Amino acid sequence: MTEAIIEPELAIIDPHHHLWDLRPLLPMFPEPRHRFLETLVPAAHYTFDHLHADVTTGHNIIATVFMECGAFYNSAYGDALKPVGEVEYVNGVAAQSASGLYGKLRACAGIVGHANLMLGSDAGAVLDALVAAAPARFKGIRHQGAWDADPDVLGPPFHAPQGLYRDATFRAGFAELGKRGLSFDAWVLEPQIGDVIDLARAFPDTPICLDHCGTPLGSASYEGRLEERFGVWRDAIIELGKCENVMVKLGGLAMHNCAMPEAGPAAGVGSEELARLWKPYIETCIEAFGTRRAMFESNYPVDRWGATYPVLWNAFKRITSGASAEEKAALYAGNAARFYRIEELLG
């Protein structure tokens, strides 16, 4: 799908993308693989060259933030510390981008890694090692908590334990973030948004970002139920928006799980249709959190399922066509820069 770029001069910080090589892992999953894993196969190899090709397709992407994805762990460090390998790898990619050989883009200017917070207070040592691996770029962690009673929603490799964010040991580990001024990215599914509300209220001084609009569901046992469940999702988002320490990422809606669109990958759906599908969710999030606590994201390459990179950002820009220049500056770059503490990139 090729489209003319809308508002090509608008500065964007893409605050959520991955880098990985899943190809060696695919043989570990027997055929037929769960559909969510199958949606990742076309993008099983996604490293700096692929990212650079996407972000230079016409939109003014000035910087990005890497989001942990369990890639390039260093097993030699032991189970607790092996996520440090991912941060070391991404810090090297960031240095490659910062060399200037690839233009003005500052890829991976912020790095969100992973520490197992179920280590309790011992997670503090892992956080310190992550900071040491990328002192200027490491900003916080994500410990995903996505779970549903229907195992077919995500498939076994991706399901976290039920009620993870409410677990006392997890929260002992979470407390270590605040001691170090680090942020937390929360990935849950729509029925679990209440877990994030409870966590945010328990730690009101720790910055939290809800990923992917809270992941509305339209697959497996939720197929065809987006309209039915919209009110439940909306009420949870409005309640979470009352937590001043929480921001929301506007995106992730092109994932297979959300069924917006139903077909993929990159099924040729244009930005007008995507904007129509996503607008109720995006606008509800902005109304609940305000234009100072929301940021657009690509969630690439996962969202390649439903949208090419330039079409995805065109869809967002169609939704915000009536916003002021100040509001757009915040939603597309300023809020991400502030949350991930890379404001120097705004000039």
Side-chain angles (χ1 to χ4, degrees), residues 42-261:
H45 185 214
Y46 195 81
T47 50
F48 176 69
D49 288 348
H50 305 94
L51 174 70
H52 186 265
D54 280 329
V55 302
T56 55
T57 48
H59 293 284
N60 184 20
I61 313 295
I62 63 171
T64 75
V65 175
F66 168 83
M67 182 57 55
E68 69 84 25
C69 51
F72 307 114
Y73 280 9
N74 190 332
S75 59
Y77 292 167
D79 193 57
L81 289 171
K82 64 185 180 182
V84 174
E86 181 176 57
V87 171
E88 291 174 331
Y89 167 78
V90 177
N91 198 41
V93 171
Q96 180 182 4
S97 177
S99 69
L101 295 173
Y102 305 90
K104 295 181 179 180
L105 169 72
R106 292 297 176 261
C108 308
I111 299 174
V112 177
H114 173 72
N116 180 9
L117 298 186
M118 287 302 289
L119 294 169
S121 60
D122 288 344
V126 180
L127 295 174
D128 291 339
L130 292 166
V131 171
R137 298 187 177 101
F138 181 74
K139 306 301 179 181
I141 73 155
R142 179 173 72 165
H143 188 147
Q144 72 97 352
W147 176 90
D148 192 80
D150 177 5
D152 288 335
V153 170
L154 284 174
F158 301 99
H159 266 184
Q162 182 180 6
L164 178 65
Y165 290 176
R166 298 177 185 265
D167 184 273
T169 302
F170 175 92
R171 291 191 172 190
F174 190 93
E176 297 297 314
L177 292 168
K179 296 175 184 179
R180 292 161 176 81
L182 299 172
S183 63
F184 182 75
D185 267 75
W187 179 38
V188 296
L189 306 179
E190 169 256 302
Q192 300 176 275
I193 295 174
D195 291 356
V196 183
I197 295 171
D198 195 74
L199 183 67
R201 288 173 176 166
F203 296 91
D205 297 324
T206 299
I208 297 173
C209 187
L210 176 71
D211 294 345
H212 314 330
C213 298
T215 319
L217 294 174
S219 63
S221 57
Y222 295 88
E223 185 175 354
R225 299 176 61 195
L226 279 170
E227 184 175 352
E228 168 197 334
R229 293 194 59 83
F230 182 82
V232 176
W233 169 85
R234 179 193 58 216
D235 291 347
I237 286 292
I238 290 172
E239 192 63 28
L240 181 59
K242 297 175 184 177
C243 300
E244 294 294 331
N245 58 320
V246 181
M247 296 185 72
V248 63
K249 281 181 181 166
L250 308 171
L253 300 174
M255 289 191 291
H256 151 71
N257 316 79
C258 302
M260 291 183 278

Side-chain angles (χ1 to χ4, degrees), residues 329-346:
L331 291 167
Y332 286 94
N335 296 340
R338 176 165 43 85
F339 185 83
Y340 290 114
R341 308 187 302 286
I342 52 174
E343 291 175 290
E344 69 278 3
L345 297 178
L346 296 178

